[in-house]
Each structure stands twice: as C-alpha cells, then as structure tokens.
Amino acid sequence: RKEVEQDPGPFNVPEGATVAFNCTYSNSASQSFFWYRQDCRKEPKLLMSVYSSGNEDGRFTAQLNRASQYISLLIRDSKLSDSATYLCVVKYRGGGADGLTFGKGTHLIIQP
Amino acid sequence: DTEVTQTPKHLVMGMTNKKSLKCEQHMGHRAMYWYKQKAKKPPELMFVYSYEKLSINESVPSRFSPECPNSSLLNLHLHALQPEDSALYLCASSQDWTSGGHEQYFGPGTRLTVT
C-alpha cells in the first residue's frame, strides 16, 4: 500500500511564530497533493492544493519536492485559530484503491 | 456553493436496527465518497462512486451498503452493526475521481453510536 507519512506532533508554537511541517509520500506515481485542516470533532476542510511550483495563500505556503517526495506547509504569523490537525492527502494516478491516501495528521497547538 | 450536507448529525442505533445516512451535494461533482473516522485517526476511505457507479469498495463489511440514487445524492444503509462501528461517518465529493479535480469537500459528518 502506498504510504503518506507525517510527524504527528503535537507542535506547540507561540502565537506569531512561523511553523513548518512536512509530509513524505512513498510512490513517485503521484498526481495531486493537498493540505486539509481538521478541527476537533469537525470535518476536514480543504486548506490548499499543492502545485509543482509551490503556492501561497495569505500566511500559508505549500511546497512540493518531487525529487525527495515530500510536500511542506509553512504557516507565518501563526494565530490561535490555526490550532488544528493538518492532514496531508496524496492522489495517485489512476482510479485504484490506493488512489487517495491520507496521512495520519500533524497536530498543531498555537499558544498565547 | 461548496456545501456538502449530511443527515442526521447524530445517530444512536441498536445492533438489530436498520438505518440510513444521507449525503447531498449540488456542486455538479461526479465523484462521491464515504469515509469512516475514529477519534484521533485520519479518515478511512470506505466507498467511492464515480458517475453514479461504485468504483471502489475498500473491503467494507456487507452490513454497510452504499447507494447512489443520482449524481447529487449518496446514501449509506446500515444493518446489524457492531459497537466497533461507532465512529464519525463523513461524506465527501469532488469534481472527478480518475482525472483532475480531486479537491474534496467534506460534509459535517454523522456521529454514529451503536449500542
């Protein structure tokens, strides 16, 4: 089975700091990459897709490194409301059962 | 509108009951998904429907029976469940399954307790 690995954390970060975490994937036949955030007892919400050239959305920057098979998420000027679990999702080519794989998530706690 | 709705929000059922979970989206998405999520774990894919046909069944026990009546609706019929089936059941949709447009939008989930 194709694997997606994340450091579960928790990452305890003071408000206003910059935090980054990575997600590694095991198979190079990957097609699409995403970051989701999930708050406690809520559904996952799409944070951003990750593009080959990297992309930014406000305080959030996502990068893809195909050579080393990882994606990263950088959060600048962290807010208390950024506290959540961040899930990395990889979509592999084709429609097989391994086509969509979730990482176990990284738990982020922003402290006042 | 990126909304996926699910009903009911909460469900308590006995092991001999039959119940159904419902999911609806009006984004014109052609792929719909059922996931099961236990506390502190990531969502586990159960079923994928693509163009109203079942594409993926992740070896889910037959006491879970999915149904896709049309492109906007997805049901999950439950029968003779076990207490270990208690979990959050999430529905999601995306533009497509095999080609591009894989951003998934999740519904709020149904929190199921089997007694």
Side-chain angles (χ1 to χ4, degrees):
Chain A
R1 189 161 187 91
K2 300 178 180 68
E3 299 291 334
V4 175
E5 302 286 342
Q6 294 184 252
D7 182 340
F11 283 51
N12 289 283
V13 174
E15 191 176 7
T18 295
V19 60
F21 27 85
N22 289 344
C23 163
T24 59
Y25 57 96
S26 63
N27 194 295
S28 59
S30 53
Q31 185 175 20
S32 309
F33 307 86
F34 309 92
W35 285 105
Y36 284 77
R37 69 167 281 166
Q38 186 170 26
D39 295 286
C40 188
R41 300 181 70 81
K42 298 281 192 181
E43 74 274 23
K45 289 191 189 296
L46 179 67
L47 184 64
M48 53 202 304
S49 303
V50 186
Y51 302 121
S52 297
S53 54
N55 45 301
E56 190 174 304
D57 183 1
R59 299 181 293 109
F60 297 85
T61 300
Q63 298 274 358
L64 167 62
N65 186 318
R66 284 195 184 270
S68 301
Q69 294 184 193
Y70 73 86
I71 66 171
S72 63
L73 180 67
L74 179 86
I75 306 175
R76 287 181 298 279
D77 187 24
S78 52
K79 312 286 184 198
L80 295 175
S81 56
D82 294 332
S83 297
T85 296
Y86 289 83
L87 296 162
C88 167
V89 179
V90 178
K91 173 71 170 71
Y92 293 95
R93 294 190 192 284
D98 288 345
L100 191 67
T101 304
F102 279 71
K104 288 185 164 55
T106 295
H107 189 199
L108 175 65
I109 301 170
I110 306 298
Q111 295 172 327
Chain B
D1 179 13
T2 57
E3 190 178 19
V4 177
T5 59
Q6 286 186 248
T7 55
K9 285 197 166 77
H10 300 274
L11 178 62
V12 179
M13 61 186 288
M15 290 190 282
T16 57
N17 291 158
K18 281 186 184 180
K19 296 285 184 185
S20 296
L21 310 185
K22 297 186 183 302
C23 174
E24 189 167 3
Q25 57 87 14
H26 293 288
M27 295 178 274
H29 287 172
R30 303 318 298 261
M32 295 186 77
Y33 311 77
W34 281 115
Y35 288 87
K36 172 183 177 180
Q37 188 174 27
K38 299 281 245 183
K40 299 188 189 303
K41 301 281 187 188
E44 295 174 36
L45 186 63
M46 300 173 72
F47 301 105
V48 179
Y49 272 83
S50 178
Y51 289 84
E52 299 163 49
K53 293 196 184 328
L54 184 63
S55 290
I56 301 288
N57 176 340
E58 279 281 66
S59 302
V60 179
S62 59
R63 57 186 185 268
F64 295 91
S65 174
E67 178 198 16
C68 189
N70 61 54
S71 59
S72 300
L73 292 173
L74 188 65
N75 299 324
L76 186 62
H77 303 298
L78 315 172
H79 173 54
L81 293 195
Q82 304 296 311
E84 60 265 29
D85 296 322
S86 299
L88 179 67
Y89 287 84
L90 292 160
C91 173
S93 71
S94 69
Q95 198 174 340
D96 204 339
W97 169 238
T98 54
S99 57
H102 302 297
E103 291 87 352
Q104 291 188 41
Y105 296 90
F106 284 83
T110 293
R111 195 160 295 281
L112 174 68
T113 303
V114 182
T115 60

